[in-house]
Amino acid sequence: MSKAASLAHICLAYAVALAVAAAWLLWGPDLALWLDALVADLLATLVVFGFSRYHHNSSFYDAYWSVVPPLLAVYWWAAGPLGADDVRPWLVTTVVVVWAVRLTANWVHGWPGLAHEDWRYPILREKAGRAELLADLFGIHLFPTLQVFLGMLPVYVAVTVAGRDLGWLDVVAFALGIGAVTLELVADTQMHRFVRDRQPGQVMDQGLWGWSRHPNYLGEIGFWLALALFGVSTVPTDAWWLFVGVVCMVAMFLGASIPMMEERSLERRPGYQDVIDRVPRLLPRPPRRRAA
């Protein structure tokens, strides 16, 4: 199947998923605004899961990570009490939209089509044995949906609560969010060029990747942290729970995503051990010199 046809299948799946979510929001029980959105999000995820199982490819879910957050932000803002003259919702929604456009575009650029599935998914299903369907449902689909929803809760606060007036923390959050997206964009651009031109066995240790082994994940963490700061700026008294989402993101990246990526890199490119020895895992600093 061509890439264009594959993308058409993905778009169909997401259109059906969002239609189901919209039906819930329009005709389902009238719950709290955030809870309505959560149920709609989970229902849409189940639809995507159905398409994943039908096509035997869990990468149907991949773009869902970045497609849904701007829809949540816009829905919450439109359904909440704040109007178009409130500046903070504009700032946080702009950050979310810019992040979503960049990440989705990067996925489209790098995804070859339905002949490809993220290499981590078969590993997770295989490890689950007879429970592979549950691993697919919960580990690959529902868990990331809940993870993203937790990260978006500060946005819910920022676009629905008439909290503290716009202040310096909003400026910091906006700058951090745009800066984090820019970091991801530069990192991904550098990696695309490297993959295009690399020699067999060559490892990436140039540009941002010479200062951090995972600058893309660093940017992703910066984005979710920016959202948390918007929430804190809105309601400082709720700061104790507004960082739950970003903490979960950091735990996932450090505890699962990065270790799996590095284990695979070592298996495929033994020279990657030299990068590990010289370049910090996440927080950037100048690389160490190669051993003589």
Side-chain angles (χ1 to χ4, degrees):
M1 185 182 296
S2 68
K3 182 173 181 176
S6 297
L7 288 172
H9 280 71
I10 296 291
C11 289
L12 173 63
Y14 285 21
V16 175
L18 294 177
V20 170
W24 169 267
L25 294 175
L26 288 172
W27 298 303
D30 189 14
L31 308 175
L33 183 57
W34 68 270
L35 187 54
D36 273 331
L38 175 59
V39 175
D41 198 2
L42 292 173
L43 289 174
T45 301
L46 291 176
V47 172
V48 175
F49 172 71
F51 276 87
S52 294
R53 298 298 294 187
Y54 178 78
H55 287 83
H56 306 288
N57 190 329
S58 295
S59 280
F60 258 84
Y61 181 84
D62 289 352
Y64 192 82
W65 176 282
S66 55
V67 167
V68 169
L71 300 179
L72 286 174
V74 171
Y75 168 70
W76 283 332
W77 187 7
L82 301 185
D85 56 338
D86 291 285
V87 177
R88 182 179 288 117
W90 281 107
L91 293 178
V92 67
T93 301
T94 297
V95 171
V96 173
V97 169
V98 169
W99 167 85
V101 169
R102 188 217 66 82
L103 188 54
T104 306
N106 184 66
W107 173 79
V108 171
H109 177 271
W111 186 60
L114 284 174
H116 168 82
E117 184 181 36
D118 189 298
W119 58 270
R120 292 168 291 190
Y121 300 159
I123 294 174
L124 291 172
R125 293 194 299 264
E126 183 178 349
K127 286 183 177 179
R130 294 181 179 178
E132 64 88 16
L133 184 146
L134 295 178
D136 195 4
L137 172 60
F138 290 98
I140 299 175
H141 291 79
L142 290 178
F143 175 77
T145 290
L146 293 173
Q147 185 96 339
V148 168
F149 195 87
L150 279 176
M152 285 293 293
L153 286 178
V155 176
Y156 172 78
V157 171
V159 302
T160 64
V161 176
R164 193 172 61 175
D165 291 341
L166 199 72
W168 64 269
L169 191 54
D170 294 286
V171 177
V172 171
F174 184 80
L176 175 61
I178 297 299
V181 175
T182 303
L183 174 64
E184 291 181 288
L185 175 62
V186 173
D188 285 338
T189 300
Q190 292 177 347
M191 180 57 75
H192 291 320
R193 291 173 179 170
F194 170 77
V195 170
R196 182 192 63 197
D197 301 330
R198 69 182 170 186
Q199 300 300 314
Q202 187 179 2
V203 294
M204 177 55 152
D205 61 352
Q206 303 297 317
L208 294 175
W209 300 84
W211 287 63
S212 169
R213 300 202 300 272
H214 302 280
N216 51 342
Y217 285 128
L218 179 61
E220 192 72 3
I221 291 170
F223 165 75
W224 294 105
L225 177 59
L227 301 189
L229 293 180
F230 274 118
V232 173
S233 182
T234 307
V235 187
T237 55
D238 285 350
W240 63 275
W241 67 267
L242 289 170
F243 290 96
V244 171
V246 69
V247 169
C248 290
M249 290 289 178
V250 172
M252 181 182 68
F253 293 147
L254 295 182
S257 300
I258 290 177
M260 290 183 72
M261 291 288 292
E262 301 214 316
E263 181 179 353
R264 185 170 188 257
S265 293
L266 286 170
E267 291 175 353
R268 293 157 59 96
R269 293 176 289 276
Y272 189 69
Q273 182 61 52
D274 175 65
V275 178
I276 293 177
D277 294 339
R278 295 185 299 104
V279 180
R281 179 170 56 172
L282 196 63
L283 296 179
R285 62 161 172 76
R288 296 189 182 97
R289 293 183 178 181
R290 287 185 171 87

